[in-house]
Amino acid sequence: MKRFFKIAIVLLVFLFLAGAGTGAALWYLWSSNLPYIGSLEEYTPPIITEIYSDDGQVIGRFWDEKRIVVPLERIPKHLIQAFIAAEDSRFFEHEGVDFASIFRAFIKNLMAGKIEQGGSTITQQVTKSLLLKNPEKTYRRKVREAILSLQIEKNFSKERILFLYLNQIYLGHGAYGVEAAARTYFGKSAMELNLAESALLAGLPQAPSRYSLILHFDRAKARQRYVLQRMREEGYITEEQEKEALAQEIQVRHVQDTPFKKAPYFTEYVRQYLERTYGRDRLYRGGLKVYTTLNLEMQAAARRAIEKGTLELDKREGYRGPLRHLAPGEVEAFNRSVAEKLESRPPAVGDVLEGVVQEVDREKKRVIVRVGNRTGVIALKDMKWARKPNPKVAYYNVVVKDPGKVLKVRDVVLVRIKEEGASVYESQFNRAIQSRRQPGSAFKPIIYAAALDKGMNPSTVILDAPYVSSLDPGKDVWRPKNYKEKFFGPTLFRTALIKSRNVITVKILKKIGISYTINYARRMGIESRLSPDLSLALGSSGVSLKELTRAYAVFANGGKLVEPIFIEKVLDRNGQILEENHPTFREAIPESTAYVMTDILRAVVQEGTGWRVKALKRPAAGKTGTTNDLRDAWFMGFTPSLVTGVWVGYDDRTPMGKGETGSRAASPIWLYFMSDVLKDRPVEEFSFPEGGSIVIAKIDAKTGLLAGPYSRKTVFQAFKAGTEPQTYSPPPKAAKSGQFSQFDMETSP
């Protein structure tokens, strides 16, 4: 018996030593090559990049992890207590690892035969998130996690650990850290959260999806009850405070903070620049602060003007039938496609979307339309737009009594949201910058400015008569025509631009030279390819709205070309300036030329195709532009302080309705915008050049000579000093006999 006892003791000692040796070996192996905890000294997690307007409002955010790092002082005490009570009540007592909790978890996992519970402390969660990013649930990882947690507690204060934890933890719906979560769920900063809201957030770490405030509020509420109970048990709150928090009504807002909200195209342009310049990782994870030149009030005014102007255009054109009619098998795919687009950019009231007719209810006189995953109703009273075009008149109204005569099931139509809705999916194609469209007559001022610097003046007379040419040898002859296909005989240079005479512009271009004109356009900021032929006079070469607006700014800026600035400065996450931009100017054309052109373009508004802009009732200059097939309509204009360009057209280059010229389709939008943004500004006059480079002369509107006793119509016109007329207009008979300067162009077969 004694011998057996001795053998048993020896065996137990052997097993203990073997186990201890094995444990020591495993401990050594598992604790080797641990991550460096010193990296926690400088906490630089992925954080949000923010884009600001010129007045400091956020217009866009970009992130991989939606996180806003805030110091512990900007987190309310009750929010910190809520997380401690729910996640690690002994946080201030243990040294990184709560062995009692681990033992309980070990027993539970042993009984279950698998790892179900971790018993992690807040320190261990920090370790797991920042140092051990492998999510596997193994005993090796738990040992490494424990070792690192003990090291962290020895090297960092409890406050530092809480700072790391509350900024790093994932709290659902893309929100990392309590600040981002507070803004996502409640639309406020963490510092503004009340006890009830804090308890809801503190209930999320265990399972953010299961306790989602958005998708499963009942579960989140139950979890909140648990958090408040734990806070009371730990002495953080009273029973009365617990009851008040439980009874408090919670407003969960789910703020979908997308970068395409206030200024989608502008923000996307800035995003592309930042990605090219700083790389994707820095853009989405580096927490850049980007200050732009965007004026949100002007942006909103531009949207209102476009919506009003395009709606008026749409009404003039009348209802043109559905965009298309889907086959039965195409409906599901169409709805799914629209729904996917709307996920990232939810629509808002006033937005226009594509929808498919789901039902035509003739009894209730309404149409049910499905837009992605949403369903809306079009009442009969809202179908007044459903007119049928009449080829004999521009448009007319038809009273709609039966919606079934207008729409059919599976018709794809454009609908406008009247009530509720969550911004429209907008094409990422930036029409102001990326699109190249024919400017038509809006290009003419560049040619006329070039002609002024080539020796012509506003009184030069050109014969408006048929002109025949060939763009290329061996091709058909080309016969440019004026808009109304009429010719007006001897015409002043200024009148030709004011009335937008095509044939005269062709003759001017031929006289001054195509190469010279293209080079001149380059000096004024036109970068697009320009066709080296006479069709350039009619604006046949596509340009962007941005570069044409930039060219008109040369006139407004006294001949100086301004480099457009979208970004004023970019700061890194530490507030260091990465780049800073200021306006730069260079002389593109003589100041005197710019002023003479401004004077003529003012006359375009007062006497010519830009007449609608007179309603602005302040000094303004500009030019309309229309392509012969009515696919593009432009109005480019400026006041002494602001240059604005407007283009109207269809992306697929479908012709607009009859008479939809730059004057009718584009200039009203320009007028709406400028009236809005200038309404509170004082009226300004265009600056007159100093140094005697400009002379104002009263001339005969027909002959271009100095106004005399025989002049019937006179105008005041600016001239470059030395180019003004020196003689008075003769009697009518003498004028008819050609006693004033003019030139004509030979026809070339």
Side-chain angles (χ1 to χ4, degrees):
M1 189 69 179
K2 281 186 176 182
R3 186 179 180 188
F4 175 77
F5 184 70
K6 289 181 179 180
I7 293 174
I9 291 175
V10 170
L11 183 61
L12 287 172
V13 170
F14 175 78
L15 290 174
F16 174 78
L17 292 175
T22 302
L26 289 174
W27 182 275
Y28 174 78
L29 289 173
W30 291 350
S31 63
S32 61
N33 298 319
L34 289 173
Y36 176 56
I37 66 169
S39 61
L40 301 182
E41 194 69 52
E42 293 186 9
Y43 178 57
T44 55
I47 57 176
I48 295 172
T49 286
E50 293 185 313
I51 317 294
Y52 299 93
S53 63
D54 65 348
D55 62 350
Q57 295 188 56
V58 176
I59 60 173
R61 291 188 171 98
F62 301 96
W63 65 81
D64 275 344
E65 295 181 6
K66 186 163 60 173
R67 178 186 288 105
I68 303 170
V69 176
V70 293
L72 209 59
E73 304 82 61
R74 286 176 52 192
I75 301 175
K77 187 176 180 180
H78 58 71
L79 178 57
I80 298 173
Q81 292 171 339
F83 274 91
I84 291 175
E87 292 295 306
D88 186 2
S89 62
R90 288 173 25 86
F91 173 72
F92 288 105
E93 299 169 23
H94 63 66
E95 296 183 356
V97 179
D98 191 343
F99 290 101
S101 296
I102 291 177
F103 181 74
R104 287 194 300 270
F106 174 77
I107 297 300
K108 184 172 183 179
N109 295 336
L110 194 63
M111 294 177 63
K114 59 181 179 179
I115 297 179
E116 286 188 344
Q117 184 174 326
S120 295
T121 64
I122 283 178
T123 310
Q124 287 176 281
Q125 291 184 54
V126 169
T127 301
K128 180 168 55 178
S129 177
L130 292 173
L131 299 177
L132 296 176
K133 298 182 180 180
N134 188 343
E136 63 179 1
K137 292 184 177 182
T138 64
Y139 287 110
R140 177 181 182 275
R141 189 191 64 76
K142 293 298 293 183
V143 168
R144 290 167 65 83
E145 179 184 295
I147 296 171
L148 286 168
S149 297
L150 292 170
Q151 291 179 6
I152 289 173
E153 289 275 350
K154 288 181 179 180
N155 288 274
F156 297 98
S157 68
K158 291 287 186 180
E159 288 72 20
R160 179 66 180 178
I161 295 169
L162 277 175
F163 163 76
L164 296 172
Y165 173 73
L166 293 172
N167 281 292
Q168 183 68 18
I169 191 167
Y170 180 63
L171 296 172
H173 292 277
Y176 289 80
V178 294
E179 181 68 20
R183 297 188 185 191
T184 298
Y185 297 123
F186 306 115
K188 63 175 79 171
S189 70
M191 200 63 193
E192 299 173 290
L193 295 179
N194 57 43
L195 175 60
E197 293 164 338
S198 295
L200 279 170
L201 291 191
L204 292 173
Q206 189 181 84
S209 298
R210 176 175 174 78
Y211 298 115
S212 166
L213 277 65
I214 309 301
L215 304 176
H216 308 293
F217 187 73
D218 54 338
R219 297 178 188 170
K221 190 68 177 173
R223 184 67 178 163
Q224 178 203 41
R225 184 176 293 106
Y226 166 77
V227 174
L228 291 169
Q229 177 187 334
R230 291 291 302 121
M231 291 183 74
R232 175 177 52 78
E233 291 171 352
E234 293 297 323
Y236 292 134
I237 60 174
T238 65
E239 185 175 352
E240 184 180 352
Q241 288 175 309
E242 177 187 8
K243 291 179 180 178
E244 288 178 357
L246 283 171
Q248 186 167 349
E249 185 177 347
I250 301 293
Q251 296 292 332
V252 177
R253 295 179 55 187
H254 190 200
V255 179
Q256 294 186 328
D257 199 359
T258 67
F260 300 96
K261 187 177 180 182
K262 298 178 181 177
Y265 292 106
F266 182 92
T267 306
E268 171 61 14
Y269 182 82
V270 170
R271 186 202 67 79
Q272 291 176 10
Y273 168 81
L274 294 171
E275 186 167 0
R276 287 195 309 270
T277 306
Y278 300 102
R280 189 187 189 284
D281 187 69
R282 200 166 191 182
L283 168 62
Y284 286 94
R285 301 169 68 84
L288 302 176
K289 302 292 184 185
V290 185
Y291 297 88
T292 74
T293 58
L294 178 76
N295 184 292
L296 277 176
E297 291 184 3
M298 288 189 177
Q299 172 75 13
R303 280 182 172 264
R304 290 192 296 268
I306 291 171
E307 288 173 1
K308 183 177 180 181
T310 53
L311 181 60
E312 290 172 349
L313 169 62
D314 199 52
K315 287 181 177 179
R316 288 196 299 270
E317 292 194 47
Y319 178 59
R320 300 169 297 285
L323 299 177
R324 59 188 179 279
H325 185 76
L326 300 176
E330 297 176 320
V331 176
E332 183 178 348
F334 174 83
N335 287 332
R336 185 167 58 249
S337 174
V338 174
E340 289 173 355
K341 294 175 182 178
L342 294 178
E343 278 184 7
S344 59
R345 306 178 190 182
V349 174
D351 288 337
V352 177
L353 311 167
E354 281 191 3
V356 60
V357 176
Q358 184 171 291
E359 178 187 350
V360 178
D361 190 337
R362 290 182 162 176
E363 182 179 345
K364 295 184 179 179
K365 298 186 183 300
R366 64 178 188 175
V367 174
I368 311 299
V369 178
R370 188 172 182 83
V371 181
N373 293 327
R374 299 167 173 82
T375 300
V377 177
I378 304 177
L380 182 65
K381 63 183 178 64
D382 294 321
M383 297 181 68
K384 296 177 182 178
W385 44 265
R387 298 187 292 267
K388 296 180 180 179
N390 186 331
K392 295 182 180 179
V393 295
Y395 63 90
Y396 73 101
N397 291 323
V398 172
V399 177
V400 179
K401 296 182 179 180
D402 182 359
K405 292 184 177 181
V406 179
L407 297 173
K408 297 179 180 178
V409 173
R410 301 197 307 278
D411 279 350
V412 176
V413 294
L414 290 176
V415 295
R416 183 183 300 276
I417 298 178
K418 289 185 63 179
E419 300 174 10
E420 209 208 8
S423 128
V424 58
Y425 177 82
E426 301 182 61
S427 165
Q428 293 187 19
F429 182 66
N430 191 323
R431 296 165 185 83
I433 295 176
Q434 295 174 277
S435 182
R436 297 292 185 274
R437 304 293 292 237
Q438 293 182 344
S441 296
F443 191 80
K444 289 176 181 175
I446 296 175
I447 297 174
Y448 281 71
L452 288 176
D453 284 344
K454 199 74 168 176
M456 295 187 186
N457 67 67
S459 286
T460 301
V461 179
I462 307 100
L463 185 63
D464 188 13
Y467 178 74
V468 180
S469 182
S470 176
L471 294 176
D472 292 303
K475 290 192 176 182
D476 294 337
V477 295
W478 180 52
R479 297 181 175 85
K481 299 177 181 179
N482 293 323
Y483 176 64
K484 294 186 178 180
E485 300 188 7
K486 293 181 180 180
F487 298 98
F488 298 87
T491 304
L492 297 188
F493 178 99
R494 71 182 299 274
T495 304
L497 182 56
I498 292 168
K499 302 298 183 183
S500 201
R501 301 282 162 74
N502 291 339
V503 176
I504 289 180
T505 308
V506 172
K507 291 181 177 181
I508 291 175
L509 177 60
K510 172 107 175 166
K511 186 174 181 66
I512 64 176
I514 296 171
S515 296
Y516 164 77
T517 303
I518 290 176
N519 290 333
Y520 199 92
R522 297 280 181 249
R523 285 161 50 191
M524 292 187 66
I526 299 297
E527 299 171 345
S528 296
R529 182 185 178 278
L530 300 176
S531 299
D533 56 54
L534 291 178
S535 69
L536 183 65
L538 307 185
S540 62
S541 297
V543 297
S544 73
L545 180 59
K546 173 194 167 187
E547 61 186 325
L548 194 56
T549 305
R550 183 186 180 197
Y552 273 73
V554 172
F555 301 136
N557 289 321
K560 292 182 174 61
L561 179 68
V562 182
E563 189 64 36
I565 292 177
F566 291 81
I567 295 175
E568 289 187 340
K569 62 181 176 181
V570 179
L571 307 182
D572 67 12
R573 67 193 302 155
N574 299 315
Q576 299 297 312
I577 297 177
L578 299 178
E579 70 171 88
E580 195 165 11
N581 302 301
H582 302 282
T584 58
F585 302 83
R586 65 175 174 83
E587 185 173 311
I589 64 176
E591 183 183 21
S592 57
T593 302
Y595 188 84
V596 172
M597 285 303 304
T598 297
D599 194 51
I600 297 176
L601 293 173
R602 290 183 68 177
V604 171
V605 172
Q606 296 299 318
E607 309 169 34
T609 55
W611 61 271
R612 284 181 170 86
V613 173
K614 286 193 289 186
L616 189 62
K617 296 182 180 179
R618 63 171 66 214
K623 182 70 184 74
T624 57
T626 312
T627 53
N628 288 335
D629 48 17
L630 299 176
R631 299 178 194 272
D632 300 275
W634 301 70
F635 187 80
M636 311 299 300
F638 55 95
T639 65
S641 62
L642 190 61
V643 183
T644 302
V646 175
W647 165 81
V648 179
Y650 290 105
D651 285 340
D652 61 3
R653 302 183 187 274
T654 299
M656 293 180 286
K658 181 180 179 181
E660 297 299 342
T661 62
S663 175
R664 191 184 196 193
S667 70
I669 296 175
W670 188 94
L671 177 62
Y672 298 148
F673 171 72
M674 297 293 270
S675 298
D676 197 346
V677 300
L678 297 175
K679 61 186 176 185
D680 297 323
R681 298 190 188 185
V683 175
E684 298 176 90
E685 293 290 341
F686 288 100
S687 299
F688 193 83
E690 299 178 356
S693 62
I694 292 293
V695 172
I696 304 296
K698 185 179 182 181
I699 64 172
D700 187 296
K702 184 174 180 62
T703 66
L705 301 176
L706 293 173
Y710 303 104
S711 299
R712 294 183 178 179
K713 181 181 178 182
T714 62
V715 294
F716 286 97
Q717 175 61 52
F719 291 85
K720 292 185 180 185
T723 67
E724 71 275 12
Q726 301 296 320
T727 59
Y728 287 92
S729 187
K733 289 185 179 180
K736 287 182 180 179
S737 64
Q739 294 181 11
F740 52 92
S741 65
Q742 69 177 52
F743 80 85
D744 189 19
M745 304 293 298
E746 75 282 359
T747 56
S748 55

